Amino acid sequence: MIKQLTLTAAISSLLLSSALYAHTLTVGFSQIGSESGWRAAETSVSKIEAEKRGIKLKISDAQQKQENQIKAVRSFIAQGVDAIFIAPVVQTGWGPVLEEAKDADIPVFLLDRNISVKDKSLYMTAVTANNIYEGEVAAKWLVKEEHGAPCNVVELQGTVGASVALDRREGFLDVVKKNPNLKIIRTQSGEFTRSKGKEVMESFIKAEDNGKNICAVYSHNDDMAIGAIQAIKEAGLNPGKDIKIVSIDGVPDIFKAMLAGEANASVELTPNMAGPAFDALIAYKDKGVIPPKQIITKSLLFEPVNAKEQLERKKDMGY
């Protein structure tokens, strides 16, 4: 009986110690900004996930500028945080500041985007979706939808130089190359924003016989797709019918557009990138567990038949 109580006490002490340690953790998060509904949801979910674990989370909004992110990282280093989370604006230019974090013995975790550095030890892990796979899923949906019929596609790319934009383009193109009925006739960055997505789509429509030469829009995120939908409507065409819409993220407004018959498909990107990163951080700090270099989240395709259910689900996800 005494041995059992001793063991129970030891386990309880270990769990309490782990919980208390988790409560002392302070994490600095350099967030890109709030350029989209998904990005805002990621920030909201990050706060919720931090609170669940008793972690103090400091968020710095970079307003989509890498120089602001680098300043934020240096500020977090000076504050002596326990870890730094970065949702990087672009892939390159991170080496020097991450060297500074490494020298300060502060682990760095990447959220939803990758970076390009020679020394992979500069960051602990990257929690991302398989963005190439997302592009493939979007393209395969269009292949199935068109049944081999010719289809001219316009592409709204994300931020130039962002890993997610490069990967979503690569995945889509890989499928297009194997299906000659699909042809990308125009492609341009809409910077992941609704306003720019609308502006670029307006130029596509004007250049392609008032949109009559366009079969479908492939948008790297839902917000640009929403902007494109507005441009299509203002041109006197029916989005979702005259021009099909397939995009990525799965934000509430794209499901509202589906219910209105104005969008056709979206590949969901979960906004909960911080949760797995927090768990990896706690395991590392508490037990010395080194996480895999990449933690992959799930990506699922949704169509109008799923829209009502998904809208309800999003309410519980911080949107």
Side-chain angles (χ1 to χ4, degrees), residues 230-302:
Q230 187 60 39
I232 292 167
K233 290 164 70 174
E234 290 178 5
L237 299 169
N238 296 310
K241 298 180 180 66
D242 296 329
I243 299 177
K244 294 181 176 66
I245 309 291
V246 57
S247 54
I248 299 173
D249 274 359
V251 303
D253 281 353
I254 203 68
F255 293 117
K256 291 176 184 177
M258 287 183 190
L259 290 173
E262 297 176 348
N264 306 91
S266 180
V267 184
E268 182 187 46
L269 172 68
T270 178
N272 186 14
M273 299 288 175
F278 286 135
D279 290 341
L281 170 63
I282 291 170
Y284 172 69
K285 289 286 189 180
D286 193 36
K287 299 178 181 178
V289 177
I290 304 297
K293 211 61 188 174
Q294 190 162 28
I295 299 171
I296 302 294
T297 61
K298 290 183 179 180
S299 299
L300 301 172
L301 176 75
F302 292 108

Side-chain angles (χ1 to χ4, degrees), residues 102-218:
K102 186 178 180 179
D103 289 343
D105 197 27
I106 299 175
V108 172
F109 294 73
L110 308 178
L111 302 189
D112 72 81
R113 296 184 181 185
N114 278 303
I115 62 174
S116 178
V117 288
K118 291 181 180 179
D119 182 1
K120 297 290 185 180
S121 73
L122 292 178
Y123 65 92
M124 183 149 283
T125 188
V127 182
T128 69
N130 185 334
N131 299 128
I132 293 176
Y133 172 75
E134 289 174 336
E136 290 174 350
V137 170
K140 287 177 180 177
W141 174 85
L142 191 55
V143 169
K144 184 179 178 182
E145 185 74 9
E146 292 307 305
H147 303 288
C151 181
N152 289 334
V153 183
V154 294
E155 178 186 27
L156 291 170
Q157 292 190 44
T159 304
V160 174
S163 65
V164 63
L166 296 168
D167 288 349
R168 288 175 179 176
R169 175 167 171 75
E170 179 182 339
F172 195 85
L173 284 176
D174 285 346
V175 175
V176 167
K177 289 173 185 175
K178 299 171 186 174
N179 293 272
N181 63 303
L182 300 184
K183 183 180 179 183
I184 297 178
I185 56 173
R186 294 191 180 272
T187 181
Q188 188 175 327
S189 172
E191 298 173 6
F192 282 131
T193 68
R194 294 190 187 197
S195 58
K196 190 66 176 180
K198 181 176 184 287
E199 178 186 321
V200 173
M201 190 63 202
E202 287 171 343
S203 69
F204 287 165
I205 289 169
K206 289 176 183 177
E208 296 297 336
D209 192 17
N210 196 38
K212 294 175 184 176
N213 195 36
I214 301 171
C215 161
V217 174
Y218 166 50

